[in-house]
Amino acid sequence: MSLKIAAESWPKTPSETAEDNKSVVVKEYDEERHKVAIEKMESLCEVGQRGKTSLITDLMGDPICRIRHFPIHIMLVAEYGEEGEVVGVIRGCVKTVARLSSVYVKVAYLLGLRVCPTRRRLGIGTKLVEHLEEWCKQKGAKYAYIATDCTNEASINLFTKKCGYSKFRTLTMLVQPVHAHYKPVSSSIAVVRLPPWLARSMYNKLLANSEFHPQDIGLILSNKLNLGTFMSIPKRYLSKWDPKTGIIPPNFAMLSVWNTKEVFKLQVKGISPLAQALCAGTRLLDSCVPCLKLPSFPDVFKPFGVYFLYGLHMEGKNGRFLMRSLCEFVHNMARDDAGCEAVVAELGQWDPVREAVPHWNKFSWAEDMWCIKKLEKYGPFDWITSRSSSTPVIFVDPRDF
């Protein structure tokens, strides 16, 4: 999920900004003291604005739930004035990922930056970022990165102009709505659920050269939010393939599924009543004549959950067909899970898997911007200035979403 910062609506003089900035104190999150205030503040922050439609994040329960699945994480809170009004929050984690050609580096991921709408233009966002970066450096992070929508100028300007980040990689978010009917999966294909040990072995073998491949992939695969790793292969290979040998089939597709419903929910706002009625009409028509298998529009105008696909990989001449069939299989999983209205995948713009993933263009967006900053001044290699990648594949950690 991207960092989102709404644009400011009124100017502040330099003297006012400096005076207000002194009144802002950054502290580590304390559940008893900050939880209710943060939930109230975040309800006022509209996130994910895209044109006239807003995609907002509705955090469920504990505000720290978005990062608790990282072994090294922290949540910082900005307090303002003598009464300690909560006016900002930021989350961060530190992990080890592949940089290039299986060379690993420790990085920080910054997410969930929010600033109270009535307390903007006080330098609160910058102050939170600086404090979090310092904590990450103390934990050994060499780089820090964030993700934001390429249309979010306020967010991009904050990080690139004020905090020293550079635009680094551009990814594509592909969204497939979940319909009321099942998607057909070819009878010539077998879908196999891989045990975590085998999935870890295959990912380390097949995707170790991809950028941002997490060193703790085994921890992700064994997480309770991971619904499984699945492989689709032609049935004619099924009897010949023994996973214990470590030999990979010549034709296959594989991916893992992460259940975000237990962490946060999304909701689409800003749509006219007429458009909502038309969308409801497609669902009604689909339920009345299910045999037609119409592509009905799911009810995304109330809070809903999504399945996130990660670790997508395919090989062989039938790779695209196998990947598409595997995505349809996951769609059917989501269809049986009440409240799950979409299946989402995030891929590098030049990743060959991108062409095989079914999605709706109007529901997807092509440019999710990743910005990065080198936290240490000196070093033998600069990942940023190299501007090269040994592979078009970028591994998107589901814990980042």
Side-chain angles (χ1 to χ4, degrees):
M1 186 57 58
S2 304
L3 286 167
K4 308 291 184 180
I5 306 171
E8 318 297 355
S9 58
W10 68 88
K12 278 277 187 177
T13 66
S15 59
E16 286 177 321
T17 301
E19 182 179 351
D20 288 331
N21 191 266
K22 292 178 182 178
S23 301
V24 177
V25 179
V26 176
K27 298 181 179 180
E28 188 170 348
Y29 169 73
D30 178 86
E31 181 176 2
E32 183 176 348
R33 181 176 180 179
H34 297 131
K35 181 179 179 180
V36 175
I38 288 176
E39 291 175 344
K40 181 179 179 181
M41 183 196 70
E42 289 192 320
S43 68
L44 301 174
C45 298
E46 192 171 79
V47 181
Q49 189 170 356
R50 299 177 62 228
K52 295 183 179 180
T53 303
S54 298
L55 187 62
I56 68 170
T57 301
D58 180 18
L59 292 179
M60 298 172 56
D62 189 353
I64 205 170
C65 62
R66 289 290 302 280
I67 56 173
R68 67 167 64 256
H69 300 286
F70 292 97
I72 305 176
H73 64 266
I74 195 172
M75 183 170 171
L76 299 179
V77 178
E79 294 182 353
Y80 178 78
E82 296 181 357
E83 297 182 358
E85 175 192 357
V86 174
V87 295
V89 63
I90 192 170
R91 302 159 177 86
C93 65
V94 175
K95 58 183 177 177
T96 302
V97 303
R99 187 183 65 196
L100 294 173
S101 304
S102 300
V103 176
Y104 285 85
V105 63
K106 191 170 284 190
V107 302
Y109 179 58
L110 281 56
L111 71 159
L113 175 62
R114 307 281 189 270
V115 177
C116 181
T118 60
R119 297 295 184 185
R120 289 174 179 156
R121 294 287 187 183
L122 306 181
I124 295 171
T126 303
K127 199 166 187 174
L128 283 167
V129 171
E130 291 173 348
H131 277 72
L132 182 53
E133 287 177 349
E134 186 59 35
W135 180 87
C136 293
K137 285 193 290 185
Q138 292 176 7
K139 298 299 180 181
K142 306 302 181 184
Y143 295 88
Y145 74 102
I146 64 99
T148 188
D149 193 313
C150 68
T151 62
N152 193 335
E153 295 183 6
S155 179
I156 293 175
N157 288 339
L158 170 68
F159 284 96
T160 60
K161 296 181 180 181
K162 293 185 178 181
C163 299
Y165 285 71
S166 302
K167 296 179 181 179
F168 190 58
R169 300 287 184 251
T170 304
L171 290 86
T172 299
M173 195 79 70
L174 303 176
V175 182
Q176 180 185 21
V178 174
H179 307 307
H181 52 79
Y182 290 99
K183 296 285 187 178
V185 178
S186 174
S187 59
S188 65
I189 292 175
V191 177
V192 181
R193 180 170 181 162
L194 304 179
W197 67 267
L198 180 56
R200 181 183 68 251
S201 175
M202 293 190 66
Y203 278 135
N204 285 334
K205 181 182 296 185
L206 298 170
L207 297 180
N209 289 329
S210 61
E211 283 190 304
F212 293 93
H213 180 271
Q215 195 174 55
D216 64 347
I217 181 65
L219 190 64
I220 299 173
L221 295 172
S222 61
N223 192 288
K224 64 180 181 180
L225 296 181
N226 192 66
L227 298 181
T229 300
F230 302 92
M231 172 184 284
S232 62
I233 58 175
K235 281 186 176 178
R236 64 180 182 274
Y237 291 121
L238 191 58
S239 60
K240 303 177 183 178
W241 179 56
D242 183 1
K244 295 181 181 179
T245 64
I247 299 175
I248 299 174
N251 284 285
F252 73 94
M254 65 180 295
L255 56 77
S256 296
V257 185
W258 189 264
N259 184 11
T260 71
K261 284 177 57 181
E262 306 302 320
V263 182
F264 63 88
K265 289 190 177 181
L266 305 176
Q267 183 178 9
V268 175
K269 290 188 175 182
I271 302 297
S272 69
L274 176 59
Q276 293 190 41
L278 291 174
C279 292
T282 66
R283 294 192 296 274
L284 178 61
L285 183 61
D286 194 12
S287 63
C288 292
V289 283
C291 58
L292 296 180
K293 295 184 178 181
L294 301 172
S296 57
F297 202 91
D299 188 0
V300 293
F301 309 110
K302 63 181 181 180
F304 65 94
V306 304
Y307 281 176
F308 183 73
L309 307 182
Y310 69 98
L312 292 84
H313 184 75
M314 63 187 188
E315 290 190 8
K317 62 180 181 179
N318 297 322
R320 286 192 179 187
F321 173 67
L322 293 169
M323 176 58 70
R324 186 173 186 85
S325 298
L326 195 54
C327 290
E328 306 293 19
F329 171 82
V330 177
H331 170 278
N332 295 341
M333 284 177 54
R335 189 255 178 232
D336 290 333
D337 191 346
C340 185
E341 303 292 357
V343 177
V344 181
E346 187 169 17
L347 300 165
Q349 286 192 323
W350 309 113
D351 192 326
V353 173
R354 176 184 170 185
E355 300 300 324
V357 177
H359 62 280
W360 282 16
N361 288 331
K362 290 185 177 181
F363 218 47
S364 306
W365 57 100
E367 296 187 1
D368 191 33
M369 178 66 66
W370 284 17
C371 300
I372 195 168
K373 176 181 180 179
K374 191 175 183 181
L375 296 179
E376 59 174 8
K377 293 183 179 180
Y378 307 101
F381 180 84
D382 191 334
W383 191 6
I384 304 171
T385 58
S386 68
R387 292 297 181 185
S388 63
S389 173
S390 60
T391 171
V393 179
I394 299 175
F395 194 106
V396 180
D397 191 325
R399 297 169 298 183
D400 291 356
F401 182 74

